[in-house]
Amino acid sequence: MTTKRICILVSGGGTNLQRIIDAVLSGEIPEAEIIKVIADRPCFATTRAENHGIEVAQLKRGKNFQQQLLDAIPPDTDFMVLAGFLSILNEEICTRFKGRIINIHPALLPKFGGAGMWGAHVHKAVIEAGETYSGATVHYVTPGIDEGEIILQEAVAISEGETPDSLAKKIHEIEYRIFPKAIKKALAQLQEK
Ligand code: GAR
């Protein structure tokens, strides 16, 4: 098994990024190296990467964004992980890295996915719809937003008086559990190809 070179894309606080960094360092995700963290905006996730000596790129959203992103991805990248990344990848990037990009989404896909469904918007929509369960999903990234094959998913019950904030906390706990497992699983599948 050869070490897989991973590029992680972020937009926020980066608690999932931290979980992945820790899992790579501890060997929970074996044979993996995080070679770069790419952010689409200023965010604390980049500080987390820098604290571990990981190369960081911070892009500007808007004009030429997809080209900036393509240019920022090291050519020897084996695998990409979207860890709270809020920009949409264009078809060219999805095609170039087909089967080699995964994303974490804070709901039970295929429900509550698609354009505009991110972060607190998802939790608000889930609560307003009167759902009794939500959860987190790790899936492959394809040109259709949040439509790729599911790798792992875990549910949590919605409590009486649940708020988007309280639900977000519960779902983050699930994410920290399933994300390293899903990455390990997807990397193992990559080895078989
Ligand atoms: C996570 O809950 C992740 O599922 C969500 O953003 C949060 C990032 O938290 N992603 C999306 O909503 C993508 N549609 P973090 O920065 O602390 O890892």
Side-chain angles (χ1 to χ4, degrees):
M1 195 157 161
T2 54
T3 299
K4 294 296 172 204
R5 296 166 63 84
I6 305 175
C7 199
I8 305 187
L9 278 51
V10 293
S11 302
T15 61
N16 278 291
L17 169 69
Q18 188 66 57
R19 179 69 180 93
I20 298 166
I21 292 172
D22 294 345
V24 167
L25 289 177
S26 71
E28 186 183 349
I29 300 173
E31 305 287 340
E33 183 192 355
I34 302 168
I35 57 167
K36 193 164 180 179
V37 166
I38 301 174
D40 66 350
R41 67 197 74 196
C43 60
F44 186 66
T46 56
T47 305
R48 294 181 188 273
E50 281 161 1
N51 287 343
H52 289 273
I54 300 168
E55 185 186 347
V56 166
Q58 194 190 292
L59 313 180
K60 270 206 178 90
R61 283 176 294 151
K63 215 172 141 231
N64 295 330
F65 175 74
Q66 300 289 336
Q67 191 56 50
Q68 285 177 55
L69 182 53
L70 258 181
D71 293 343
I73 301 167
D76 56 355
T77 298
D78 294 308
F79 191 72
M80 295 213 290
V81 176
L82 277 50
F85 187 64
L86 300 183
S87 293
I88 305 300
L89 304 185
N90 73 3
E91 195 153 351
E92 185 183 351
I93 298 178
C94 292
T95 306
R96 187 174 298 189
F97 290 92
K98 189 165 181 268
R100 297 192 289 141
I101 317 176
I102 67 170
N103 176 50
I104 192 151
H105 185 78
L108 294 174
L109 293 175
K111 281 180 147 185
F112 302 100
M117 280 292 168
W118 54 271
H121 299 289
V122 179
H123 308 313
K124 195 166 172 280
V126 166
I127 292 167
E128 282 175 6
E131 296 287 321
T132 48
Y133 283 89
S134 190
T137 305
V138 183
H139 64 96
Y140 284 101
V141 173
T142 59
I145 303 171
D146 298 327
E147 288 176 3
E149 185 195 335
I150 291 172
I151 302 165
L152 278 181
Q153 196 167 51
E154 191 182 314
V156 65
I158 294 173
S159 314
E160 190 77 26
E162 196 85 75
T163 64
D165 269 359
S166 63
L167 186 53
K169 282 200 185 78
K170 284 181 180 176
I171 288 178
H172 262 118
E173 291 306 318
I174 293 177
E175 293 183 335
Y176 306 150
R177 253 197 314 277
I178 68 170
F179 215 176
K181 284 188 193 146
I183 293 170
K184 192 174 159 182
K185 195 173 165 191
L187 287 177
Q189 277 171 13
L190 204 62
Q191 295 288 353
E192 289 164 14
K193 283 182 187 165

